[in-house]
Every structure is written in C-alpha cells, then in structure tokens.
Amino acid sequence: MQELKWLGGCVLLVASAASLAATPQDDSRRIDEIVVTAEKRESTLMETPAAISAFNSETLTEAVVRDINAVSMLTPGLIVNQELVAKVFLRGVGTENLTSGGDPGVALNVDGVYIARTSAANFDLFDVERVEVLKGPQGTLYGRNATGGAINIISAAPTATFGGDVRAEMGDYDYLRVGATLNGPIIDDKLLGRVSFIKSDRDGYTKNYTTGVPLDDQDLSAGRLRLRYLPTDTLTVDFIADYSDSDNRQAPFKILEDTPSLFELPPFNGYDPVDSRDVAHDVEDLMHQKQKGMTLEINWTLGGMILTSISGYRDTDFYSLFDGDSTNGDFQNFSDDSDFEQYSQELRLASNGSGPLHWLVGLYYFNDEGTSHVFIEVPGFGFNIDHKAELETNAYAAFGQATYDLTDRFRVTLGLRYSDEKRDADQVSDFGTGTISEQNLDRDDDAWTPKFGVEYSLDSDTLLYANLTKGFKSGGFVFNGFQPSYEPETVWVLDAGVKAELLDGRMQADFATFYYDYTDMQVSVFENFVGTIKNAADATIYGAELQVRARPADGLDLNAGIALLNAEYDEFITQDPTQPSVPSVNLAGNKLPRAPDFSATLGAQYAHPFLSMGSMVYRVDYRYQSDSYFNPFNRARSEQDALNLVDARIALVSANDAWEVAVYGKNLLDEEYYATILESAVEVGRPFGILAAPRTFGFQAAYHF
C-alpha cells in the first residue's frame, strides 16, 4: 500500500507540474543540465543510457550533504552505513567484509582514481563539483569490484577567474566546521590553481558511563590542492593532491536486549537500556584514519581523438579499537590496524568526432600493498589472539567500448573488458596457545566482462535504452582467523529504461527496470565461532526505479524518487549459530541484507525575493525506507524497522550571491535507527548494533569573493 501511495504521489507531481506549465513559460523554468562522465566521456545526465543519480555542488550544499553517507538521503536504492569501515550497498549489493583482505561491491572513484580500501570510503564532500551514483554493474569501463555500481566524486577544478569563499558552521553537540577555498590564475592562460581545506569538530552523540567520555564524535582536518597546466590549446595537465586526518571515538556497538549480559558488571544492564543511546564500555571505541593521495591527469587532443592518462597514488593508514563484548566488563576487545599504499595507471584513447562511430579503448594497471594487524584481546579467558598479514594485489585490464549510430535514432553499443588479478598474502597467527601458525595465501583470477546495449530516441527529448552487462568482483581473504581465501562472484544484469525531458525542459523523468542473476555470491557466514566470507549463495534481484525532477513554477524545484526491490537468495546453505544441533540450513527465499523492498525520496525547494536584501530559500528533504534485515537469517532481532527521515534548511542569500546565512535541521523526527546490527560471536545470537545520528540543528554562514 505504501508503494502505491508513492507511485500515486509521483503521478500527482507530474500532473501538477503539467497543469502549472499549461501557460506560456520562459527558459528560466528549464531544469539545468548536469554533465556526467559515467561513460568515461562527457555527456548530459539525460542522454546517458544508464541508471544514474547525479548531484552538483549547489544541491549538496542546499541539502546539507557533507559525506557519502548523506548522499543516500537523495538516492533511493542506495544505503551507506559507517560500521568501523564504510559499507555501501546499491540495490542490495555490497560487502560485509570488514578486514583489509576484502574489497567493496560498489566501487568508489575520486577524480577518476579507484579507491580500494573500504576504510577510506566515507569521504568528506568539501569543494566538490558533483557526485555521480552509477547503478548496476560497471564491469566494462570500471572493471573489478563494481558489481553493485560505482560512486564517482569529482572535485571542483580551478578556473581562470580569481575568487574563493570562506564558510563557517556551528550546531548542537558543540559542532564547529570551518573551511575556505582560493581559486584563480597563477600564470595567465597557462597555470590555474585551487586550494581548499576544512576543519570539523563535534562532541559525541553517545555517553559512555564507564569512562565518562562521549563516543561517536568528530575531529577531522582535510585539504586539497588542484593545479591545471595549459601549455597548448590541445593539451591539459591536471595535478591533484589531497589529505585527510580523522581522529575520533567511533560510534559504539550497543547491546539491544535488556537481559543481563554474561560479562556485565553490576548493576546489570543498568547503563545501556534499550531505549537510550548511552553505553557502559570499559574501553574507548577509537578510530584513526589518515589519507593522502596524488592524481595526475593528462588529456591530449590528437585530431579526431583524445588520449587520456590518469595516474593515481594513495596512502591509507587506519586504526580501529572497539569493545568486543559491548559491556563494562573487561572480557574482549578488538582492534584493526592497517596501512596500505595503492598505485593505479589508466590509459585511454577515445574518438572525438561527430561521425556515427564513437569508441574508446584503454589499458589499466593497479597495485595495492600493505599490512593488516587484527588483535583480539580476551582477558576474560587470559589469552590474546593476534593476526598479522602482509598483502599485495596486482591487477591488469584491457577494455574497449564502441557505439554505432545505425540511424539518426537507433544506436548499438558493444563493450568488453578482460581483467587479470593476482593477490598474495602471508599471515602469521597466534591463537594464545604459544604456537605460531603461518599461512601463505594466493589467488589468480581473471574474467571477461562484456556489455551489449541498444538505444532508441523517440524524439529529441525521449531516450529508450536496454543493456546486458556482466559484473565481476574479485576473490579475497579474511584476516580475522586462519581461513582459506574465497572465490570471485559474478552477476549478469539486464536493465532497461526510458529518459524523457517534458514540458519544454521543465521536467525530467528517468525510469529504469533491472534483473540480476548472481552466481557464487560472497556472503558473510559464522562457522565454528568465527565470522568469515564464503561463496555460498546464488541470488536473484529485480526491481524498478523512478526519478523525477520538475520546476513547475518560478523559484520552485521538486524532486522525487522511488525504488522497488526484490532481492532474495535462490540458495544459501550455511550453519546457524543459534541452532548448534542443526548441521546446516538453506536460506533460499530469505531477503538479502540491507535490501529494503521499498525506498523513496522527496525534496522540495522554494526561493523568493526578500525585501531588498536578496532571496529566501526553503528546502525540505524526506526519505522513507521499508523494513530490512542486517543478516541473511532474517530474524526479528536483526531487523531494521521502516524509517522516516526529514531534513530541512532555510537560507537567506544576498542579491549578488556574495554571502548567505542558513539554519538547518537533520533527522528532524529524531528517528532512532541503526547503521548496523550484528549477532554476537561471544554470546551466540545476542544482537548488538550501532545507532545512527540523532536529531541535530545548525547554523551556516558563507562569504564568496
């Protein structure tokens, strides 16, 4: 019933826009085009034959979107949770592997460079040009670990106009965020530069009664330098250097049952009632993350072709400590310390003409190496478990894609990528018995990932498309025990859709349907009191999505989106830790984790003149998400109830756009919901979870020069 209401609401949105647009309108009502690079070349969002959500810097600012987590507020079908590392799921596809031996199921790319580590995924979105969310496998152009899709972050490039801005923000929980940007020419017409930075601090949302120190706080510093060198009219060289340093107490796991834990000290469960955020942990849950990276992009126009080279380097140092028993008793503590460096090189040659054939070929190399140290302290039993590993990955790929215009309306696309990947790991483990065990792991995987696509333009404003694509996610290792590697997973996806510009450009509608056939799905299982990853499942996923943007009247912008999803296991035979006497169970028919049947977003923004000062801008964003599960057993104890999230912002913008002030609220309904829920490995089956952020308020001020 809820789904029908939302479908009806979208129809009403279209109808109301049509009625308001019945009278003659001027071009100021047209919706601004968003240029994307989802297919490794520039095209508008509405002429790209794929399911994409894209948001420019203005939308991100007006919706108070500061990180990838908040992008899900604008994107139905996308779920981003921070659970020690960032967990990103699109249409029910992602990864549950927390250790450094695994890779994400949704690829994150920053300025064209793939980011391998899940610990580095929750980027702060300061000074970005846009964010693109590509839905479905991107196996041909993006390759490995994009079975669920890809998220592209594109930072703001320097321009020839001198200028910049300063920004400040403050709110409850002693929140303070300041930032600045400086942009302009260094050498006229030859060298442009842009530098930006932010500093963000906030007290914790959660009180820890044992230590007296709040948890889930923020202490972040980040900066970026971009240089653009223009030696000739046909050659552009971009250099990007960035860093971030985050040192905070992470959101803690909290016991979700009011029965006493075996490891709590009196008064049993007195400090962490179910209806409160407060916890009583004997250690401070910590998270330190340092990142630095450099990107060199060269674009050289060679007649009717463009040669592109993207070289990327990134260093990620990550440390996490959390209370494994989630009580004030000193029974188990878990820490993960990893340090990885990655280097990637992509070379592309693409057509740059207006003929019927548009093509692109490329080569790709990726190297990732580092160390992982997982330390499990078990003072309750008087021993420790220590896993140290060294890991190296070398990946190679060759790819190509071509689109041919059979007529001025009908086009076909063929693409193919070959990927070859070699991974090696040496792990040394001490299980507290005094005996050191060594394990040498290696994998050598390859895959062909094709794409077949057709497009048909009904007219200049309506595009029909269909794609058949294959996704490939590499195998990996789990560094929290003495375990074998797991195999790659593959998925075939058929998707089709229609994109239309309506009402003389005052409305854009994007409808997509999809069907996934998953094989050898990498799933999280619990065997012999140890969590691991296995290729234990096949699954079928299908659904539909609709996104609508409209400008029905001067100053009024509306956006709505819905996602219908059916994601179930076809077969998944595993052990159930809560039924030790049962050798195995088949979870066929169960829903995939983090895959709600229905999600929807609705946004409205209205601007009008205010006295002689400028304009008032009002914005409201709403997200609904039906109930979902955090593990494949679909037990009520690991269920996330349906949630309703509301954000709002009111801004006063000067007439010349030189300054603005704003007030905002996030999660205005103070919805209590979870970033994750796990079933304890210590007390088998006991659920504990991480609460998401509560209701917050803030004030913003910005000056542009």
Side-chain angles (χ1 to χ4, degrees):
M1 183 61 67
Q2 185 71 32
E3 291 86 346
L4 293 176
K5 290 180 180 178
W6 270 95
L7 285 169
C10 289
V11 172
L12 287 175
L13 174 61
V14 174
S16 62
S19 63
L20 287 169
T23 56
Q25 309 290 342
D26 57 43
D27 287 342
S28 66
R29 298 271 187 91
R30 293 186 63 87
I31 296 175
D32 299 332
E33 293 282 5
I34 298 179
V35 175
V36 297
T37 51
E39 295 196 321
K40 304 282 186 170
R41 63 169 79 235
E42 289 190 349
S43 61
T44 67
L45 181 63
M46 297 306 293
E47 67 185 13
T48 305
I52 305 170
S53 297
F55 311 101
N56 57 26
S57 59
E58 290 79 9
T59 298
L60 298 174
T61 297
E62 291 158 352
V64 197
V65 173
R66 307 187 193 94
D67 53 33
I68 293 296
N69 193 347
V71 174
S72 60
M73 188 70 186
L74 307 176
T75 313
L78 173 66
I79 293 178
V80 184
N81 298 139
Q82 183 67 34
E83 177 201 326
L84 309 184
V85 300
K87 288 189 172 182
V88 184
F89 283 72
L90 259 173
R91 296 173 173 173
V93 180
T95 185
E96 295 288 345
N97 192 350
L98 293 174
T99 69
S100 303
D103 293 305
V106 178
L108 175 67
N109 304 280
V110 179
D111 291 317
V113 175
Y114 168 68
I115 307 299
R117 301 270 61 84
T118 55
S119 59
N122 202 16
F123 270 77
D124 192 288
L125 301 177
F126 71 99
D127 197 31
V128 300
E129 178 183 313
R130 68 183 181 277
V131 174
E132 303 171 357
V133 181
L134 285 57
K135 302 176 182 180
Q138 308 296 317
T140 300
L141 295 180
Y142 290 86
R144 60 195 296 268
N145 306 327
T147 47
I151 297 177
N152 295 336
I153 302 173
I154 297 90
S155 63
T159 64
T161 303
F162 176 79
D165 61 56
V166 291
R167 297 177 177 271
E169 184 176 335
M170 62 184 64
D172 47 359
Y173 297 94
D174 287 335
Y175 179 61
L176 179 62
R177 178 185 176 101
V178 294
T181 300
L182 184 63
N183 173 89
I186 301 174
I187 301 175
D188 287 344
D189 301 324
K190 291 296 182 183
L191 182 62
L192 311 176
R194 187 180 185 96
V195 61
S196 55
F197 81 92
I198 60 157
K199 182 72 173 73
S200 185
D201 292 285
R202 173 181 49 75
D203 287 348
Y205 298 136
T206 302
K207 183 175 181 179
N208 185 359
Y209 277 92
T210 305
T211 65
V213 179
L215 300 173
D216 197 5
D217 63 351
Q218 184 183 65
D219 182 357
L220 171 68
S221 301
R224 183 185 300 112
L225 169 68
R226 285 200 60 156
L227 298 174
R228 173 164 288 180
Y229 179 47
L230 304 165
T232 70
D233 292 340
T234 59
L235 183 62
T236 302
V237 180
D238 284 289
F239 173 76
I240 308 169
D242 68 86
Y243 85 94
S244 69
D245 188 344
S246 178
D247 186 358
N248 59 283
R249 298 172 181 87
Q250 63 180 314
F253 282 100
K254 170 185 169 55
I255 295 176
L256 303 184
E257 289 185 346
D258 56 6
T259 56
S261 167
L262 296 175
F263 312 112
E264 286 183 291
L265 301 177
F268 293 110
N269 223 59
Y271 295 121
D272 53 347
V274 174
D275 60 350
S276 170
R277 304 187 70 87
D278 301 335
V279 298
H281 289 188
D282 59 287
V283 298
E284 292 185 21
D285 298 72
L286 303 175
M287 183 184 296
H288 302 161
Q289 182 194 80
K290 291 184 179 180
Q291 293 189 66
K292 56 179 179 287
M294 291 183 290
T295 302
L296 180 66
E297 180 175 345
I298 302 172
N299 287 280
W300 188 13
T301 302
L302 304 170
M305 300 180 295
I306 297 179
L307 177 65
T308 300
S309 170
I310 302 178
S311 307
Y313 166 81
R314 182 158 295 273
D315 182 293
T316 301
D317 188 358
F318 175 80
Y319 174 77
S320 172
L321 169 67
F322 73 90
D323 190 329
D325 55 82
S326 298
T327 72
N328 57 354
D330 189 15
F331 178 78
Q332 184 199 73
N333 302 311
F334 183 100
S335 67
D336 184 353
D337 190 354
S338 63
D339 187 1
F340 278 82
E341 290 184 306
Q342 69 167 66
Y343 171 76
S344 62
Q345 175 63 53
E346 182 166 300
L347 286 173
R348 299 196 305 264
L349 186 65
S351 62
N352 188 35
S354 57
L357 179 64
H358 309 276
W359 54 267
L360 178 151
V361 294
L363 298 171
Y364 181 76
Y365 170 71
F366 173 83
N367 173 265
D368 181 34
E369 57 182 302
T371 61
S372 171
H373 184 195
V374 175
F375 186 74
I376 305 172
E377 183 183 16
V378 195
F381 285 149
F383 67 92
N384 301 320
I385 301 173
D386 196 359
H387 304 293
K388 295 179 180 178
E390 295 183 358
L391 172 72
E392 182 174 8
T393 301
N394 285 285
Y396 310 83
F399 59 93
Q401 182 168 299
T403 299
Y404 188 76
D405 300 340
L406 294 174
T407 71
D408 58 351
R409 293 191 176 192
F410 185 57
R411 295 169 291 281
V412 295
T413 296
L414 296 176
L416 184 64
R417 187 185 190 101
Y418 174 73
S419 301
D420 183 81
E421 180 174 304
K422 295 178 175 61
R423 312 188 77 170
D424 298 284
D426 296 319
Q427 181 175 342
V428 178
S429 299
D430 180 356
F431 290 90
T433 61
T435 301
I436 304 299
S437 302
E438 297 186 14
Q439 186 179 28
N440 301 115
L441 300 166
D442 64 86
R443 294 208 55 82
D444 189 351
D445 301 314
D446 62 353
W448 294 90
T449 48
K451 174 181 179 177
F452 309 94
V454 293
E455 307 167 48
Y456 183 75
S457 298
L458 287 178
D459 52 46
S460 60
D461 296 324
T462 307
L463 174 68
L464 306 177
Y465 68 89
N467 298 304
L468 177 64
T469 57
K470 182 181 180 182
F472 157 73
K473 183 181 174 188
S474 56
F477 315 121
V478 180
F479 292 143
N480 66 349
F482 212 62
Q483 304 174 26
S485 65
Y486 53 88
E487 301 288 325
E489 66 178 19
T490 58
V491 58
W492 279 97
V493 175
L494 176 64
D495 70 289
V498 55
K499 296 187 173 188
E501 290 195 11
L502 309 168
L503 308 177
D504 296 327
R506 294 185 293 279
M507 174 177 288
Q508 295 178 350
D510 184 347
F511 176 73
T513 61
F514 51 89
Y515 180 88
Y516 290 44
D517 183 10
Y518 245 108
T519 304
D520 294 328
M521 193 176 204
Q522 298 167 4
V523 290
S524 176
V525 298
F526 187 78
E527 296 181 348
N528 301 318
F529 299 99
V530 176
T532 188
I533 302 293
K534 282 193 171 184
N535 302 87
D538 295 334
T540 298
I541 301 172
Y542 59 88
E545 296 165 341
L546 174 65
Q547 299 178 97
V548 178
R549 295 197 301 158
R551 185 168 291 167
D554 289 338
L556 178 61
D557 288 280
L558 304 174
N559 60 272
I562 60 172
L564 302 174
L565 181 66
N566 185 286
E568 296 182 351
Y569 294 108
D570 297 330
E571 183 180 57
F572 183 6
I573 299 174
T574 184
Q575 294 178 342
D576 185 346
T578 66
Q579 303 181 57
S581 62
V582 179
S584 63
V585 295
N586 191 347
L587 303 183
N590 279 20
K591 294 181 181 179
L592 271 62
R594 305 176 200 263
D597 290 342
F598 179 68
S599 58
T601 61
L602 178 63
Q605 180 167 302
Y606 180 63
H608 67 84
F610 181 74
L611 302 178
S612 59
M613 299 174 63
S615 59
M616 296 291 297
V617 182
Y618 310 88
R619 183 180 181 94
V620 177
D621 286 287
Y622 170 67
R623 178 183 175 94
Y624 173 81
Q625 181 177 300
S626 64
D627 59 324
S628 58
Y629 296 96
F630 286 104
N631 75 33
F633 295 101
N634 290 187
R635 284 191 274 264
R637 64 179 58 171
S638 63
E639 183 179 8
Q640 169 64 67
D641 293 335
L643 58 91
N644 297 270
L645 301 176
V646 178
D647 296 346
R649 182 176 184 262
I650 302 174
L652 173 60
V653 183
S654 68
N656 60 358
D657 293 327
W659 56 263
E660 67 176 312
V661 293
V663 294
Y664 68 86
K666 304 281 286 183
N667 189 11
L668 288 175
L669 301 179
D670 202 19
E671 187 86 72
E672 186 174 279
Y673 65 104
Y674 292 90
T676 195
I677 296 176
L678 300 180
E679 293 186 2
S680 173
V682 181
E683 297 179 88
V684 176
R686 177 184 286 271
F688 56 102
I690 294 178
L691 277 168
R695 177 171 52 212
T696 56
F697 298 96
F699 170 80
Q700 298 172 319
Y703 176 70
H704 310 273
F705 58 89

